[in-house]
Amino acid sequence: MSITQQISSSFPSAYACRYCAPSLGLYFNLRLRRPRPRRRLPTALPPTTSSPPKTTTTTIISFLPRFLGPHFVTGNCHLSRMEFQGVLFRVVWLVYSILVCLPWDMQSFDYDIRRHTCPSVLDGSGQVSSLNGPASEAVELHKRFWTGSGIGTNKEMVEKLHNYGVVRSKKVAEVMESIDRAFFVPDDIPPYVDTPVPIGYNATISAPHMHATCLQLLEKHLKPGMRALDVGSGTGYLTACFALMVGPEGRAVGVEHIPELVASSMENIKKSAAAPLLKEGSLSVHVGDGRQGWPECAPYDAIHVGAAAAEIPPALIDQLKPGGRMVIPVGNIFQDLKVVDKDSDGSVNIHDETSVRYVPLTSREAQLRDN
């Protein structure tokens, strides 16, 4: 399958996408001038007051939804914000490029979004010369960011994430190097490519850059002796990382409502550096509805949610320890990775970190409906 076919495929399939897609930031500066007063016929007496002076104001208008940039189509992340001038020119250019320049093949378009790979690894060779219009512009931007193509070891993957600024701390780098991603990815899929991977049951394991991003956001709340909850633990990768960070004196809990995934995740963890912690009991994975958290081990210093909720579940906020932090994607079509901080007095502060695309946080029955 060619790259132009592969870049066209899974727009309607939101169920296999877990990648970070920051806002492209299409903002337009419009100069709004007051209209000139209409000319009047001469009268006997001139007006006693002069016409109001012309004024110029600047209004910044958010023009397009954040997910409609080229990076949404291609599934990459961490693009710099770009600001454009001239509303009419940009709108005409964008519409023309989409309708004329971009090769439309809806079957392959659906496939690409479902597989959510970066454009430079869609065909396995990094050849992207056949793309045109906004797609080619997106590819040029993506060349500044690592896609993981050609990476053969877990250590190389972490080094690349560090070189591109996703991994910023020594602790996160050490943990990601210790927990080999290959143990948590299906055998027939390259484990170190920067893309989410389907794991069955309409679920995925997040891309390496998303794991690194969440670990960085939660690092100060994953110190030795602290407690961490991983909702939607999937294959167990991030739960194992949490366990190494909080250590044997802490507690790391994974919650997943698919029993088969819980069983396989425990087998995956047994192969990893977190195996002793699973045996000792400071690391555990449970079958349950993650929207209700896991109150048995609450409160938690850190909570990570690996699927997008329509709204933040109140049970998770209740189980967050004062001084703790939760990272959770929220939204349906438009999703944002939200950082929820609970102050020492119990008050909650929420801010958006970036735009993302995750599978939905839902019931077991709804998740398996189309499986």
Side-chain angles (χ1 to χ4, degrees), residues 23-28 61-64 68-69 82-84 94:
S23 172
L24 186 62
L26 292 177
Y27 291 94
F28 301 87
I61 298 177
S62 180
F63 180 69
L64 291 177
L68 288 181
M82 295 180 292
E83 296 185 0
F84 299 98
L94 181 61

Side-chain angles (χ1 to χ4, degrees), residues 40-50:
R40 297 183 179 181
L41 296 175
T43 56
L45 295 175
T48 56
T49 59
S50 60

Side-chain angles (χ1 to χ4, degrees), residues 62-81:
S62 180
F63 180 69
L64 291 177
R66 281 172 290 185
F67 81 105
L68 288 181
H71 56 282
F72 173 78
V73 177
T74 54
N76 206 10
C77 67
H78 295 293
L79 301 180
S80 301
R81 171 168 293 189

Side-chain angles (χ1 to χ4, degrees), residues 259-272:
E260 294 83 355
L261 287 178
V262 171
S264 64
S265 68
M266 295 179 70
E267 294 301 317
N268 297 336
I269 293 171
K270 290 177 182 178
K271 303 174 189 176
S272 72

Side-chain angles (χ1 to χ4, degrees), residues 225-292:
M226 291 185 172
R227 291 175 174 250
L229 173 65
D230 185 19
V231 174
S233 52
T235 62
Y237 175 82
L238 209 56
T239 314
C241 291
F242 289 168
L244 282 193
M245 295 184 80
V246 300
E249 63 271 31
R251 188 68 190 271
V253 178
V255 178
E256 170 60 57
H257 59 197
I258 306 296
E260 294 83 355
L261 287 178
V262 171
S264 64
S265 68
M266 295 179 70
E267 294 301 317
N268 297 336
I269 293 171
K270 290 177 182 178
K271 303 174 189 176
S272 72
L277 300 175
L278 181 65
K279 184 177 181 180
E280 295 168 3
S282 60
L283 166 59
S284 59
V285 186
H286 308 273
V287 178
D289 188 343
R291 296 171 295 182
Q292 304 304 317

Side-chain angles (χ1 to χ4, degrees), residues 24-254:
L24 186 62
L26 292 177
Y27 291 94
F28 301 87
N29 295 333
L30 301 180
R31 296 192 174 276
L32 305 179
R33 299 179 181 268
R34 293 195 180 188
R36 295 182 179 180
R38 296 182 178 179
R39 293 178 178 267
R40 297 183 179 181
L41 296 175
T43 56
L45 295 175
T48 56
T49 59
S50 60
S51 300
K54 299 173 184 177
T55 59
T56 300
T57 59
T58 301
T59 303
I60 298 179
I61 298 177
S62 180
F63 180 69
L64 291 177
R66 281 172 290 185
F67 81 105
L68 288 181
H71 56 282
F72 173 78
V73 177
T74 54
N76 206 10
C77 67
H78 295 293
L79 301 180
S80 301
R81 171 168 293 189
M82 295 180 292
E83 296 185 0
F84 299 98
Q85 300 289 331
V87 177
L88 182 59
F89 174 80
R90 292 295 174 181
V91 171
V92 171
W93 177 86
L94 181 61
V95 173
Y96 176 84
S97 299
I98 293 176
L99 296 180
V100 178
C101 299
L102 188 65
W104 290 101
D105 178 348
M106 292 311 296
Q107 183 178 1
S108 58
F109 186 85
D110 181 72
Y111 177 84
D112 178 55
I113 297 300
R114 185 169 65 253
R115 296 289 295 180
H116 40 264
T117 52
C118 301
S120 57
V121 294
L122 287 175
D123 62 356
S125 64
Q127 299 299 318
V128 294
S129 57
S130 58
L131 296 180
N132 298 311
S136 63
E137 178 180 327
V139 169
E140 289 302 317
L141 291 169
H142 288 308
K143 287 180 179 178
R144 296 187 297 135
F145 200 85
W146 168 67
T147 61
S149 179
I151 301 300
T153 67
N154 192 69
K155 183 177 179 64
E156 288 181 279
M157 180 192 76
V158 177
E159 289 175 350
K160 289 293 185 181
L161 288 170
H162 176 73
N163 292 340
Y164 282 92
V166 185
V167 172
R168 300 185 300 276
S169 72
K170 182 179 179 180
K171 182 63 176 178
V172 171
E174 289 176 349
V175 168
M176 291 189 71
E177 286 183 9
S178 300
I179 303 296
D180 195 331
R181 181 178 165 88
F183 295 137
F184 300 87
V185 174
D187 294 335
D188 58 339
I189 297 177
Y192 309 119
V193 177
D194 191 26
T195 177
V197 172
I199 57 175
Y201 310 98
N202 285 326
T204 63
I205 176 176
S206 296
H209 73 260
M210 278 309 304
H211 283 149
T213 298
C214 293
L215 287 171
Q216 287 290 165
L217 290 171
L218 294 171
E219 181 186 9
K220 293 181 179 179
H221 305 272
L222 293 170
K223 294 180 179 179
M226 291 185 172
R227 291 175 174 250
L229 173 65
D230 185 19
V231 174
S233 52
T235 62
Y237 175 82
L238 209 56
T239 314
C241 291
F242 289 168
L244 282 193
M245 295 184 80
V246 300
E249 63 271 31
R251 188 68 190 271
V253 178

